[in-house]
Amino acid sequence: MSKVLIVAEHLDGKLNASTAKCVSAAQALSPKSIDIVVLAADPSTIAAEAAQITGVSKVLAVANDANAHAVAQVLAPQVAKLANGYSHVFGPSTTFGKDLMPCIAALLGVAQVSDIMAVEGSHVFKRPIYAGNAIITVEAPADHTVVATVRTASWPEAGMGGNAAVEAASVDAELPTHTRFVGLEAGSSDRPDLQSAKRVVSGGRGVGSAENFKIIFDFADKLGAGVGASRAAVDAGYVPNEMQVGQTGKIIAPELYVAIGISGAIQHLTGIKDAGTIVAINKDADAPIFEIADIGLVGDLFKVLPELEQALS
């Protein structure tokens, strides 16, 4: 029977919602147990939060100063050691997981299964290919540990209300010295994280400039939403690339997605196809975004958004 180990994603002492989505994917295996490993300098608070996720059997807290920052080459040897006895090791298909999980797979000598969107059996999974235009069924060797990333846009967050045991774990793994944390450069924002936000407002080339993007930020603040952008807006320098939504950016599945001044290139649609409700605002009535939008509004965004803001006040 399956035993699953999930690598927790966290930042600044808070557990990322992607971890609870990995638990949902693990539950689809009907496993014997689901354990979470938290690697940090001081994992106590994060481990206590992870222990509340419904369906979790045990949380392993690995305290090490070397784990103060999420460096894949440092975390991977520790997870690989802990993986002994587990049939599956899951991580989210976020930037964190895409960086870490291939390293774990390499150390265990197995091929990684990427972007699991459905579980067909203990070693049989479905994942998207060709920018999500086709779904492929893959089967991992039954005699090898399955190391996989979970497509977070395809799974709901597991509920809270659990009370799993938290155990301190020590790992005797040789950590590399050739890779070290130098610094983190990231935009600071009080808005919800783009990949876990329930509501997201994105702007495209139609916004016109970096200065004009303020209208997108203001509207998002009215909705309490995260802010994203199309690749065209990022390439034009309106916003940093960490805000890009799409095939080469972030794959998201908010309950509400508002696309403003975005034409709807296939690469962008790949990133939002799992969203609950898609609202499109564009002055071009023939924009491809309207083909997949649940609600479409043809109009000048610089006139429409102030009116919507006023209606929301």
Side-chain angles (χ1 to χ4, degrees):
M1 203 168 184
S2 302
K3 287 186 66 179
V4 186
L5 180 66
I6 294 171
V7 185
E9 178 176 2
H10 56 89
L11 183 65
D12 297 331
K14 295 180 180 179
L15 193 67
N16 191 287
S18 63
T19 304
K21 293 187 175 186
C22 287
V23 172
S24 286
Q27 287 174 327
L29 291 164
S30 299
K32 178 181 178 181
S33 63
I34 301 173
D35 297 347
I36 294 178
V37 57
V38 177
L39 301 106
D42 179 5
S44 56
T45 302
I46 305 159
E49 187 178 354
Q52 297 177 42
I53 300 175
T54 302
V56 175
S57 308
K58 180 172 60 180
V59 177
L60 303 175
V62 181
N64 191 324
D65 288 341
N67 298 335
H69 304 285
V71 178
Q73 287 71 24
V74 174
L75 302 184
Q78 300 174 73
V79 178
K81 285 280 188 180
L82 289 168
N84 184 35
Y86 289 95
S87 58
H88 298 69
V89 181
F90 282 1
S93 61
T94 57
T95 303
F96 166 81
K98 289 176 181 178
D99 187 33
L100 174 61
M101 301 309 289
C103 297
I104 297 171
L107 290 172
L108 293 177
V110 300
Q112 177 186 290
V113 180
S114 300
D115 261 0
I116 290 175
M117 63 184 303
V119 172
E120 299 289 300
S122 64
H123 289 72
V124 182
F125 310 95
K126 286 189 175 181
R127 64 170 299 249
I129 59 173
Y130 301 129
N133 289 304
I135 307 300
I136 189 172
T137 300
V138 296
E139 183 171 359
D143 58 344
H144 289 170
T145 303
V146 176
V147 177
T149 56
V150 172
R151 184 180 173 90
T152 53
S154 299
W155 300 92
E157 292 178 37
M160 304 298 282
N163 188 27
V166 177
E167 295 183 7
S170 59
V171 184
D172 182 19
E174 185 177 347
L175 304 184
T177 56
H178 66 280
T179 303
R180 70 187 191 279
F181 178 82
V182 175
L184 175 64
E185 293 185 16
S188 59
S189 174
D190 293 330
R191 298 183 181 90
D193 173 69
L194 181 57
Q195 287 189 294
S196 58
K198 304 295 185 187
R199 286 170 269 186
V200 172
V201 176
S202 284
R205 192 197 304 272
V207 178
S209 69
E211 292 74 21
N212 287 348
F213 226 84
K214 182 179 183 300
I215 197 170
I216 304 297
F217 288 120
D218 290 345
F219 185 64
D221 290 342
K222 281 285 186 182
L223 295 177
V227 180
S230 68
R231 178 170 180 172
V234 170
D235 288 348
Y238 300 169
V239 292
N241 59 12
E242 65 199 45
M243 292 173 57
Q244 183 177 323
V245 173
Q247 181 183 359
T248 54
K250 291 181 169 68
I251 309 294
I252 60 175
E255 295 173 1
L256 172 67
Y257 184 77
V258 185
I260 301 171
I262 294 175
S263 62
I266 185 63
Q267 291 86 354
H268 187 79
L269 301 185
T270 296
I272 63 168
K273 60 173 55 181
D274 291 311
T277 300
I278 299 174
V279 178
I281 301 173
N282 200 299
K283 65 180 179 181
D284 179 8
D286 297 320
I289 191 73
F290 287 122
E291 295 179 12
I292 59 102
D294 298 288
I295 301 171
L297 180 56
V298 179
D300 184 339
L301 68 91
F302 297 104
K303 293 180 179 178
V304 171
L305 287 188
E307 292 175 3
L308 286 176
E309 277 194 51
Q310 188 173 5
L312 291 168
S313 298

